[in-house]
């Protein structure tokens, strides 16, 4: 970091050194566009190649490092994140716009992820099996891949980087990490913390590299480099699909977590309060900017009107304001482009026949920012654009259905399959929904967003590609299996 003006400048981290980029990009607070958090270095293709080469050079040392050393590095990161969860949470809320409680919660989660994978570094064993041939033994072990490229979106500025970086390092890989352009602050902070662990020792320079910069240059160069053995990506469907093809063409391993159009089913026998809280929490909190947000709320006829009335009543109590104010329930939208997209989808839903039950308009607050009232649109069908495409904002639509069977069919009628929820008191329907919902994650009487950090995360159909992230399942992606035979 350098401070040659009132606003600090932050550099990339390559081969154990902080280096300026080809230019800088301002990091602007969506709650107050006059607040510039810092100017962040922008890497180009040449710097990306230098970082990849550094990671490649450091791989033998890191692959040979003891599990204890890897544990110590990851545990130290977890400890610092825990100790600093308030100041990092504040930075997160300032650059992304989620509330301070959400920002601190996300930082805490990132700490837990580092601590979890510190333990996984110690647990990564293999198997011994008797051979079918006499006098031969078989060992199955897991080896790191080499250099991995990690590409993150803007909506979880510290948790998503954590759930990619921690397992990559735990299993012995070297990392080139590219955060999203809109949220370099948390990424830089994480790099700063990592740079002060044992990775500061010369033999480990290059084990972890931070490259802030445009996806079209830095991301693309990672996808194309023959030295990068695997890419873990989270982001939009369009970018993800291009990246999957690029990796497949050169046989690099790839894991992509992409969009969602997550259904929340509310049946007649649901506890109304549970259903309303689940819907409001997962559709609108974190400004609806979660890949697991409920965006299609599928409600059976008997409870429909009561559910809509109670949801609107609850929405009226929500306070939309500056992310760092203690009284704020929902912060601003991340930037002008996303706000414009949200408003466009609200207008389109109305043009296609939906009725705006609440919200959906831009609002002004004390400071200039991207504030929007959450929108609930009723009278929609599953065929309308609002039911088919991901908005990625605080916009949800209600689809009225006859019964459980129609609700299940409607929930599954989507190209996506990330998360799906049901609110019901029926064990039969809950069980059937868990079995038949086409989604990687299923919730019963809970919001569709909000998951544990120690179990697999990911979707089905168009939402995901490749092995699962998180928990011990992450090992599948970040290691390769080796089978060795020994004659006695
Ligand atoms: P995005 O696709 O625009 O960007 C994601 C990342 O890819 C960024 O770091 C970007 O710089 C990079 N990128 C852009 N072009 C690239 C290229 N040609 N090659 C390589 N990398 C490139 O997505 P976003 O707007 O940052 O994030 C929002 C999207 O992320 C939403 O669609 C959301 O559903 C999705 N998301 C999914 C999950 C999940 O786990 N399924 C989680 C969070 C967000």
């Amino acid at each position: 970091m350098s401070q040659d003006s009132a606003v600090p400048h932050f550099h990339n981290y390559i081969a154990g050194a902080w280096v300026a980029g080809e230019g800088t990009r301002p990091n602007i607070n969506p709650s107050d566009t006059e607040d510039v958090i810092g100017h962040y270095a922008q890497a180009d293709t040449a710097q990306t190649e230098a970082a990849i080469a550094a990671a490649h050079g450091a791989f033998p040392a890191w692959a040979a490092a003891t599990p204890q050393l890897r544990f110590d590095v990851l545990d130290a990161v977890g400890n610092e994140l825990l100790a600093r969860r308030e100041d990092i949470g504040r930075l997160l809320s300032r650059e992304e716009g989620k509330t301070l409680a959400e920002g601190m919660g996300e930082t805490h989660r990132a700490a837990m992820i580092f601590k979890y994978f510190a333990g996984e570094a110690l647990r990564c064993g293999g198997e011994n099996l008797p051979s079918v041939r006499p006098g031969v033994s078989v060992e199955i072990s897991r080896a790191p891949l080499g250099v991995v490229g990690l590409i993150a979106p803007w909506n979880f500025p510290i948790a998503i980087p954590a759930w990619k970086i921690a397992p990559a390092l735990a299993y012995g890989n070297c990392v080139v990490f590219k955060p999203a352009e809109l949220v370099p602050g948390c990424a830089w902070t994480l790099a700063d913390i990592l740079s002060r662990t044992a990775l500061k020792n010369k033999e480990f320079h290059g084990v972890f590299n931070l490259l802030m910069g445009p996806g079209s240059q830095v991301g693309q160069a990672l996808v194309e480099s023959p030295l990068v053995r695997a890419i873990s990506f989270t982001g939009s469907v369009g970018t993800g699909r291009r990246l999957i093809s690029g990796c497949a063409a050169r046989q690099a391993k790839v894991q992509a977590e992409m969009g969602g159009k997550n259904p929340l089913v509310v049946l007649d026998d649901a506890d109304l309060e549970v259903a309303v809280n689940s819907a409001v929490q997962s559709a609108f909190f974190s400004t609806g900017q979660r890949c697991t947000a409920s965006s299609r709320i599928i409600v059976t006829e008997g409870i429909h009107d009561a559910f809509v009335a109670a949801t609107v009543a609850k929405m009226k109590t929500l306070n939309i304001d500056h992310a760092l104010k203690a009284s704020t329930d929902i912060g601003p939208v991340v930037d002008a482009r996303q706000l414009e997209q949200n408003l466009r989808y609200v207008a389109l839903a109305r043009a296609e026949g939906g009725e705006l039950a609440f919200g959906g308009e831009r609002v002004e607050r004390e400071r200039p920012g991207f504030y929007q009232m959450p929108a609930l649109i009723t009278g929609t069908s599953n065929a309308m654009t609002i039911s088919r495409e991901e908005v990625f904002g605080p916009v949800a639509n209600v689809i009225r259905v006859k019964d459980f069977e129609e609700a299940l069919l409607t929930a599954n009628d989507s190209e996506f399959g990330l998360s799906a929820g049901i609110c019901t008191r029926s064990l039969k329907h809950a069980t059937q929904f868990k079995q038949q919902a086409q989604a990687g994650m299923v919730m019963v009487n809970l919001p569709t967003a909000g998951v544990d950090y120690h179990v697999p995360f990911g979707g089905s159909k168009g939402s995901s590609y490749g092995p699962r992230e998180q928990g011990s399942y992450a090992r599948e992606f970040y290691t390769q299996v080796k089978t060795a035979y020994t004659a006695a």
Side-chain angles (χ1 to χ4, degrees):
M1 184 174 75
S2 70
Q3 179 116 32
D4 53 15
S5 67
V7 180
H9 283 63
F10 298 88
H11 290 165
N12 281 318
Y13 187 66
I14 301 171
W18 293 100
V19 288
E22 279 308 297
T24 61
R25 182 187 158 113
N27 185 1
I28 293 175
N29 180 350
S31 297
D32 177 356
T33 53
E34 288 169 2
D35 175 27
V36 180
I37 297 159
H39 294 286
Y40 289 78
Q42 296 291 287
D44 59 6
T45 308
Q47 262 190 352
T48 308
E49 276 160 12
I52 294 169
H56 184 65
F59 178 59
W62 188 241
T66 61
Q68 183 64 52
L69 192 122
R70 291 188 207 149
F71 172 96
D72 290 342
V73 167
L74 298 176
D75 194 50
V77 176
N79 286 339
E80 184 162 341
L81 289 173
L82 272 185
R84 293 178 54 197
R85 75 190 198 110
E86 177 149 7
D87 80 89
I88 298 172
R90 190 169 287 278
L91 168 66
L92 196 164
S93 298
R94 201 172 151 212
E95 70 175 349
E96 199 270 353
K98 59 183 72 171
T99 64
L100 182 56
E102 290 170 333
M104 286 171 61
E106 189 182 326
T107 308
H108 184 265
R109 178 190 190 82
M112 290 298 130
I113 291 168
F114 272 96
K115 286 185 158 284
Y116 175 86
F117 282 107
E120 283 296 282
L122 296 173
R123 274 188 291 269
C124 188
E127 282 179 85
N128 279 311
L129 292 178
S131 168
V132 293
R133 288 172 281 168
V136 175
S137 66
V138 185
E139 293 155 60
I140 303 165
S141 60
R142 297 230 169 218
L145 303 171
V147 180
V148 298
L150 308 179
I151 302 177
W154 49 262
N155 65 328
F156 282 92
I158 202 150
I160 292 180
W163 81 51
K164 293 183 188 299
I165 295 167
L169 294 177
Y171 299 123
N173 301 286
C174 290
V175 167
V176 180
F177 166 47
K178 195 210 100 56
E181 291 88 321
L182 288 176
V183 291
C186 287
W188 187 92
T189 303
L190 207 44
D192 173 52
I193 295 172
L194 277 157
S195 75
R196 289 185 275 100
T197 64
L199 299 189
K200 68 178 180 293
N201 299 332
K202 199 162 183 329
E203 77 258 40
F204 298 133
H205 285 178
V207 169
F208 173 83
N209 303 272
L210 168 74
L211 284 181
M212 300 173 285
S216 55
Q217 281 187 47
V218 177
Q220 195 63 30
L222 285 171
V223 172
E224 286 171 5
S225 170
L227 293 181
V228 177
R229 294 312 314 142
I231 297 274
S232 179
F233 167 86
T234 303
S236 61
V237 177
T239 310
R241 287 194 181 145
R242 282 194 300 279
L243 177 141
I244 291 165
S245 307
C247 289
R250 62 174 187 83
Q251 291 179 269
K253 219 169 171 182
V254 60
Q255 168 185 69
E257 289 297 341
M258 300 169 283
K261 195 72 212 173
N262 309 296
L264 176 69
V265 169
V266 178
L267 296 185
D268 284 356
D269 68 359
D271 177 318
L272 187 62
E273 199 183 328
V274 168
V276 170
N277 284 340
S278 299
V280 170
Q281 223 303 324
S282 53
F284 307 126
F285 279 69
S286 297
T287 323
Q289 296 171 157
R290 290 185 286 193
C291 51
T292 47
S294 302
S295 51
R296 290 181 298 145
I297 308 180
I298 301 165
V299 189
T300 49
E301 311 182 309
I303 198 171
H304 178 278
D305 293 354
F307 172 81
V308 170
T311 302
V312 169
K314 179 98 187 169
M315 289 171 79
K316 284 182 178 158
T317 68
L318 298 175
N319 191 15
I320 318 303
D321 208 336
H322 195 297
L324 295 176
K325 277 191 184 171
S327 55
T328 297
D329 296 306
I330 297 175
V333 174
V334 74
D335 70 353
R337 197 189 55 86
Q338 184 65 50
L339 176 59
E340 192 263 325
Q341 174 169 311
N342 299 348
L343 301 180
R344 193 156 25 88
Y345 272 111
V346 172
L348 188 60
R350 296 180 78 182
E352 290 186 8
E355 291 152 33
L356 194 56
F358 184 78
E361 73 278 14
R362 184 174 188 166
V363 286
E364 303 294 327
R365 291 292 179 263
E366 204 180 319
R367 303 298 308 160
F370 306 115
Y371 298 104
Q372 183 209 316
M373 294 304 288
L376 189 72
I377 302 158
T378 54
T380 61
S381 77
N382 203 44
M384 290 179 182
T385 312
I386 193 71
S387 299
R388 313 305 305 176
E389 297 178 9
E390 184 180 53
V391 178
F392 217 57
V395 177
N397 61 298
V398 179
I399 303 170
R400 185 197 288 257
V401 292
K402 191 158 56 63
D403 52 18
F404 171 75
E405 283 69 30
E406 190 185 347
L408 180 62
L409 278 175
T410 308
N412 286 342
D413 176 15
S414 171
E415 71 164 294
F416 298 112
L418 188 57
S419 181
I422 189 166
C423 295
T424 179
R425 288 189 175 105
S426 157
L427 181 61
K428 177 169 163 261
H429 287 146
T431 306
Q432 203 176 333
F433 192 77
K434 278 191 277 185
Q435 287 165 351
Q436 295 180 9
Q438 294 168 358
M441 294 170 291
V442 185
M443 315 289 178
V444 178
N445 294 321
L446 285 168
T448 55
V451 294
D452 286 7
Y453 66 84
H454 67 306
V455 291
F457 176 94
S460 62
K461 301 200 284 190
S463 291
S464 297
Y465 187 85
R468 287 281 184 267
E469 297 199 83
Q470 302 198 55
S472 60
Y473 283 63
R475 197 171 67 153
E476 213 43 57
F477 181 71
Y478 289 104
T479 61
Q480 55 197 327
V481 171
K482 184 176 280 178
T483 311
Y485 297 86
T486 310

